[in-house]
Amino acid sequence: MATPVLDKVEAEAKAAAYITVTFRVRRFNPEVSAESTWEDFQLEIDPKERVLDGLHKIKWDLDGTLTFRRSCAHGICGSDAMRINGKNRLACKTLIKDINPEKPITIEPIKGLTVLKDLVVDMEPFFQAYRDVMPFLITKDTNEPTRERLQSAEDRERFDDTTKCILCAACTSSCPVFWNDGQYFGPAAIVNAHRFIFDSRDQAGEQRLEILNDKDGVWRCRTTFNCTDACPRGIEVTKAIQEVKRALITRRF
Amino acid sequence: MSTTETTASGIGPVEGAALYDVDNPAPVIEAPRQRTKKTPKPTRGNFEMYGWLFMRLSGIVLVVLVIGHLLIQLVLDGGVSKIGFAFVAGRWASPWWQVWDLAMLWLAMLHGANGLRTVINDYAERANTRLWLKGLLYTATVFTILLGTLVIFTFDPNIR
Ligand code: HEM
Ligand code: SF4
Ligand code: FES
């Protein structure tokens, strides 16, 4: 079969698959107005494309002022968490066909963090909580990286789930306790503490547990499961938080 | 979610039922007070842990105490119509019901007060608001517990 024919068939199939969707985007520009507003954009797009592709279409072809974060575009860097149709997701992992494109698709910045412009929020409080749990390997006897630190497969399995975190903030910004009081560590910081607390090679688990025993630590969690629902990596966030609570209780009794 | 059926891809729905859409938008949420390098101040001690445990343990005991209380007061043996001075006096003549009511008073008050403390911690952002609300809460709690305890211990059925 000659290649041009195939191209034509593909092109026709592609054109036929295009649909018109409306993206209703929450716009905010502090240089223009203190209020944020909804703006609609009409797009011709393949429904099997992702919301991020739609945002690219807007930024590149319709309105270059639209501001959002993205880097990898493949669910790895964690920069494009946003509230799409009322639910926190990664724009680069959400297919348009999965979120009812017959109606306008609403796209807002994640909640609980100050909006800087359009879909970009100030992540500093989020990363401060992350830094506060000391998310790095701490060893007391041998600090020099002289040899590999060995670990059994079972020991590795113990914290496997929480190693998957990409720090997108979808969980923390879906948590009602965090919405009400940003002093709470938030699920993401606890997930990343969990990753080291249950690592057999790490020796500062006790210290991290003490940090999370804080007034604004794990005890503020109300088990609403919003974080588990939001996590684009499928991490069982609420379970990780409960495991930290259990470790704190069994440490005492 | 009808969209997935209309695409010819043959891929079934990935998402569950959607909670929100344009006609039913998710609520607006303002950014809360922020975590910084200096706030919140780290706290020591296990107070919050004991509070958390107490809510669960007192809750379990309260299920028995409260349901038992409601059954005796409102359902069994003629329901509410039987309640009167004589009925209460009769029950408090037995140390068993005195201890029952005392435990229920203390547990429910401390449980409720700690629950409201949680609610205040969640919703009141300004240090002053928190201080006043908690002051009011603790005063009311201490007053009710002391008054209730006093009544249970000094109750005299032969009052004129
Ligand atoms: C009957 C059995 C009861 C059980 C099993 C129970 C259980 C619980 C538990 C486990 C919590 C903690 C929730 C969390 O941290 O997420 C809680 C919170 C609370 N409870 Fe109870 N409780 C009971 C009765 C009561 C009573 C009688 C009162 C009022 C005096 C009360 C008032 C509260 C309040 C105000 C909260 C805080 C609500 C919140 O955290 O959002 N409860 N209860
Ligand atoms: S736990 Fe999941 S939702 Fe939370 S920051 Fe990590 S990847 Fe994102
Ligand atoms: S752009 Fe990197 S996670 Fe979506």
Side-chain angles (χ1 to χ4, degrees), chain A residues 83 89 114 183 213 222, chain B residues 15 27 34-35 43 46 122:
Chain A
R83 186 151 87 152
R89 316 159 196 255
T114 311
Q183 308 289 305
N213 199 18
R222 311 282 266 290
Chain B
E15 300 266 336
Q34 292 183 345
R35 189 183 193 90
T43 51
N46 296 313
D122 273 349

Side-chain angles (χ1 to χ4, degrees), chain A residues 219 221-223, chain B residues 52 55-56 58-60 62-63 66 108-109 111-116 118-119 122:
Chain A
W219 307 116
C221 164
R222 311 282 266 290
T223 346
Chain B
W52 188 89
M55 287 310 266
R56 271 131 259 267
S58 61
I60 295 169
L62 276 170
V63 171
V66 173
M109 282 310 293
H111 177 103
N114 192 39
L116 282 180
T118 317
V119 173
D122 273 349

Side-chain angles (χ1 to χ4, degrees), chain A residues 24 26 47-48 83 85-87 89 94 97-106 108 111-114 122 125 128-129 132 177-185 210 213-216 219-222 242 245 248-249 251-253, chain B residues 1-4 6-7 9 11-15 18-23 25-37 39-46 48-50 52-53 56 115 117-119 121-125 130:
Chain A
R24 182 162 294 171
R26 192 82 174 159
K48 294 192 289 300
R83 186 151 87 152
N85 274 0
K87 187 176 176 233
R89 316 159 196 255
T94 308
K97 73 178 183 60
D98 290 334
I99 49 169
N100 195 7
E102 274 137 45
K103 284 188 184 170
I105 293 168
T106 60
E108 302 162 77
K111 299 291 149 183
L113 295 161
T114 311
D122 177 13
Q128 186 60 50
D132 287 345
V177 177
F178 184 80
W179 291 339
N180 281 324
D181 189 355
Q183 308 289 305
Y184 172 43
F185 271 93
E210 197 49 54
N213 199 18
D214 198 272
K215 175 165 74 62
D216 295 290
W219 307 116
R220 291 202 82 169
C221 164
R222 311 282 266 290
Q242 295 303 86
K245 284 180 192 164
L248 272 166
I249 291 172
R251 190 178 72 138
R252 292 277 170 247
F253 297 101
Chain B
M1 299 251 324
S2 57
T3 42
T4 25
T6 55
T7 54
S9 66
I11 302 169
V14 181
E15 300 266 336
L19 264 178
Y20 301 110
D21 60 22
V22 266
D23 305 323
V28 175
I29 294 151
E30 299 294 335
R33 60 188 189 147
Q34 292 183 345
R35 189 183 193 90
T36 63
K37 274 203 185 71
T39 64
K41 287 207 189 73
T43 51
R44 304 230 104 227
N46 296 313
E48 295 296 330
M49 181 181 81
Y50 290 127
W52 188 89
L53 275 174
R56 271 131 259 267
R117 185 184 68 95
T118 317
V119 173
N121 278 340
D122 273 349
Y123 288 99
E125 298 199 353
R130 297 163 91 91

Side-chain angles (χ1 to χ4, degrees), chain A residues 161-162 165 171 186-196 235 237 240-241:
Chain A
D161 203 32
T162 44
C165 177
C171 54
I190 301 172
V191 160
N192 287 281
H194 179 284
R195 186 248 167 273
F196 287 98
I235 299 174
V237 183
I241 300 175

